[in-house]
Amino acid sequence: MTPTLRLVLTASLFGLSSLLFTACTPSTPNDKTASEVEDKPEADVVFSPEIKTRQFLTQVALGREPADLIITNTTMLNVFTQEWLPKQDIVIAKGRIAWVGDSGTWQGQATDQFDANGLWAVPGFGESHKHIESSYLTPEYEAALVIPQGNTWTVEGSHEVSNVIGTRNVDFWLAAEHAGSPLKIFPAIGSATPPTVYESGGGYYGYQEMSDFMQQDLRVVALGEVMDWTAIINTDNGGHQRIWEMIQATYDNRGVVEGHGMNLTSQTDISAFAAAGLASDHEVRLAEEGIEKLRRGIFLEVKHAAFDTLIPKLLEMNLQDWSNVSVTTDDRDVFATLQLGSMDYNIRNVIQRGVPTEIAYQLGSYNTARHFNIDHLVGSIAPGRYADIVLLSNPETVAIERVYANGLLAGIKDKYQLPIAEIEYPQWLTETMNVGRSLSAEDFAIHAPEGQKTVQAAVLQPFWFKPDFITKSLPVSAQGTVDADTANNLIKVAVVDRYHGTAAVSKMIWQNAGPKTANSALASSQSHDLHNIWSVGNDDAAMALAANTVAELGGGWALVKEGKVVATVKLDIAGLMTSRPVTEVAAEMEHLQQQADNMEWIGMPGLPERMRFAFLTAAPWKWQLVAPYEGNPGGLVNVTTGETHPVIW
């Protein structure tokens, strides 16, 4: 008996339905003979919505069923052959493409028609590695932001929200699409959940969790960026078992394992990276590094930071096959996206650097779809795929006139044309701040051993990758505390546990960061990757006020100037995002930056937004400040070895 497919509908926590296909074989009693089994009638297969859609598309292609829309007379990019085909018609039905070919030759009828004469058609753009959480928007509002910029689908590197909501990860990412949002999201499950064994947040993923995610919905395509390199390569590392369990679960379910290869540049490290099964890297910076990774079969997800170094080198070497290269955004907030763009910005930039136009659009669509095994759904203008079509007045400059997503006119110029999907988010997304109590200035004080006039202090600074922390001799105040000293570029940094209700705070001295304006602080719950609350300031009371404000908002940003809150950004969904209009959130972010511009800062002027990435615990970080945990009340830990150290002595 051949296995039959049973369509199982599983109700998500949103009260919506997600599709799960499971193979099941009817049991046969042991006393039945083979001939008796063969005589039993074959059970009918219950066709899935996907198959039913394709059955209908077949009839539309043959002209037997009507289409919803036909886009006529366009010059269309064929990503399979890298050629522009003139005078092409695109026939659309049920949100998919049913037929593509020479204008006027399709034999069927369509309800609506758009004459695209003079316009060029390219596939909807797709992100190979992006954290939508970093836009500050929930997916339905992200759609309104990026679809007019041509971005119709995204592979979401979901380890930000995963550290907050744990096993409800996929439920969240698919809710907007179930509610009608046209932005298709393909979750890559966050491997960094938690980022290291020295941290504990709202989620833990091992073999079973990863396997469950892969089986929950076919939209789940990958294990997201494996970052804890020391756990991968060292068998005695506390995270070794967990991360390899997740890799095995991904392979067992035929998914893709994504990598994070920052500072892995030697041929030995790159070979080990590829041997571990890590199939991609979005952290390439150096040209030779990118080439060596490409030569070892690693799919490159190139961000803007590498455009000037890597792209010219690939052109110089006359790379013939670009299919293992993509361009992507990674992290970009709503305000920056409104200013710069999203995938349109990436494609435009590589064209400006000399990449042939046909290949540039392939880097922003088809290559990524093939890498994640979803090219039957997205990445090209071809029958059976979603009708995601970007119409351009000038392909060289990525001048977008219209964007169709799922066959619907979703963008004209830079304006979104569809209603925002309405979603009522549950409490497990809106009430994620569990600090435990209101914090006071005392929680942020660093007390010196009694009687000491000076202390030795472990000091860090943003993006400190060296093996050892900095050691400085610092004075003790008359109150017996070690304080910030902005005259010498020294500031105080704290991490507040937002998960366990313990009001636990770790704090230490950093250099070359933070506000110089007196009695000031900045705090945020965007603290990659565990997303505790961080606070940086020169006054304990200001740091407490900033952290408390973030907690009261349900998450976000708070800027304190001279003892008063002067700007906030409310991120009340998991402390990372908000379900509010694009312009409203962008205005809050702009106000925050304007207020920061009116203050003095150590080092670079203006809002130190990159501080949200300064608490990463992935390689190549060594010493890092995390929230206090058992055996390490100070929170300072070498995340590659587990060695702890006091912040002062």
Side-chain angles (χ1 to χ4, degrees), residues 20 55 69 119 171 331 372 527 566 591:
L20 170 63
Q55 289 173 332
L69 171 68
L119 300 178
D171 293 323
D331 297 284
F372 288 102
S527 176
V566 294
H591 179 66

Side-chain angles (χ1 to χ4, degrees), residues 187-508:
I189 301 302
S191 64
T193 312
T196 65
V197 296
Y198 316 110
E199 301 167 275
S200 175
Y204 174 89
Y205 298 165
Y207 179 90
Q208 193 58 56
E209 290 80 5
M210 185 64 201
S211 186
D212 289 346
F213 284 135
M214 293 293 296
Q215 295 177 36
Q216 180 178 347
D217 199 287
L218 295 175
R219 282 278 197 264
V220 180
V221 294
L223 175 62
E225 54 175 320
V226 175
M227 297 192 295
D228 195 350
W229 183 239
T230 56
I232 287 285
I233 64 175
N234 295 321
T235 58
D236 59 348
N237 183 284
H240 184 79
Q241 178 74 20
R242 185 192 73 85
I243 197 65
W244 279 100
E245 282 184 8
M246 293 193 76
I247 292 173
Q248 177 168 323
T250 308
Y251 279 166
D252 286 351
N253 290 279
R254 298 188 178 185
V256 179
V257 179
E258 294 288 280
H260 176 114
M262 180 181 285
N263 280 21
L264 300 180
T265 59
S266 72
Q267 292 188 357
T268 296
D269 281 344
I270 294 170
S271 292
F273 184 90
L278 310 185
S280 71
D281 185 24
H282 59 277
E283 290 294 345
V284 169
R285 294 289 192 275
L286 307 174
E288 289 301 326
E289 170 198 359
I291 291 169
E292 292 299 328
K293 287 177 176 175
L294 193 60
R295 284 170 174 161
R296 285 157 184 80
I298 295 170
F299 184 74
L300 301 184
E301 298 161 347
V302 185
K303 299 187 293 188
H304 182 260
F307 287 173
D308 284 331
T309 53
L310 179 59
I311 297 301
K313 193 69 175 179
L314 295 177
L315 290 167
E316 180 185 322
M317 65 183 290
N318 194 28
L319 181 66
Q320 296 297 299
D321 182 0
W322 290 75
S323 61
N324 229 25
V325 181
S326 69
V327 290
T328 199
T329 302
D330 199 355
D331 297 284
R332 188 173 295 161
D333 68 43
V334 55
F335 184 56
T337 302
L338 283 174
Q339 291 180 310
L340 300 175
S342 53
M343 281 294 293
D344 59 322
Y345 174 83
N346 299 330
I347 294 169
R348 185 179 303 111
N349 270 265
V350 295
I351 292 173
Q352 291 171 350
R353 284 158 177 78
V355 174
T357 306
E358 300 83 1
I359 292 176
Y361 286 103
Q362 185 175 316
L363 302 185
S365 56
Y366 181 56
N367 290 0
T368 293
R370 284 189 66 184
H371 175 68
F372 288 102
N373 302 314
I374 51 176
D375 51 308
H376 62 300
L377 298 175
V378 292
S380 62
I381 302 176
R385 281 70 171 179
Y386 280 94
D388 292 355
I389 299 155
V390 181
L391 296 179
L392 308 162
S393 58
N394 185 341
E396 296 291 331
T397 61
V398 198
I400 297 175
E401 297 294 322
R402 288 184 164 224
V403 179
Y404 291 86
N406 297 352
L408 301 174
L409 180 59
I412 298 179
K413 299 286 188 179
D414 59 349
K415 303 299 182 185
Y416 190 59
Q417 300 298 306
L418 299 175
I420 305 293
E422 295 185 7
I423 303 172
E424 185 174 347
Y425 286 107
Q427 286 184 334
W428 50 261
L429 271 165
T430 60
E431 298 181 8
T432 63
M433 289 290 153
N434 184 25
V435 175
R437 59 172 170 80
S438 182
L439 300 166
S440 68
E442 177 60 24
D443 291 304
F444 295 85
I446 300 176
H447 290 281
E450 189 172 353
Q452 288 191 208
K453 300 298 183 183
T454 62
V455 295
Q456 295 298 298
V459 176
L460 292 175
Q461 67 181 38
F463 308 100
W464 182 260
F465 301 140
K466 295 184 180 180
D468 298 314
F469 51 75
I470 304 159
T471 301
K472 287 183 178 288
S473 179
L474 300 179
V476 177
S477 72
Q479 291 73 37
T481 58
V482 180
D483 300 327
D485 179 5
T486 57
N488 289 301
N489 293 340
L490 297 177
I491 204 76
K492 189 177 287 185
V493 163
V495 177
V496 180
D497 187 321
R498 60 170 276 198
Y499 294 104
H500 302 104
T502 59
V505 182
S506 58
K507 56 266 184 179
M508 67 181 297

Side-chain angles (χ1 to χ4, degrees), residues 103-143:
S103 293
T105 61
W106 178 59
Q107 299 300 306
Q109 299 294 318
T111 302
D112 200 4
Q113 178 174 318
F114 176 73
D115 187 352
N117 186 39
L119 300 178
W120 284 258
V122 297
F125 310 150
E127 295 271 12
S128 56
H129 179 80
K130 186 175 184 180
H131 302 288
I132 290 175
E133 301 99 314
S134 292
S135 75
Y136 305 146
L137 302 173
T138 48
E140 70 275 22
Y141 286 98
E142 167 83 356

Side-chain angles (χ1 to χ4, degrees), residues 159-172:
H159 67 230
E160 312 306 341
V161 76
S162 68
N163 274 296
V164 181
I165 63 174
T167 55
R168 290 158 167 163
N169 192 1
V170 172
D171 293 323
F172 168 71

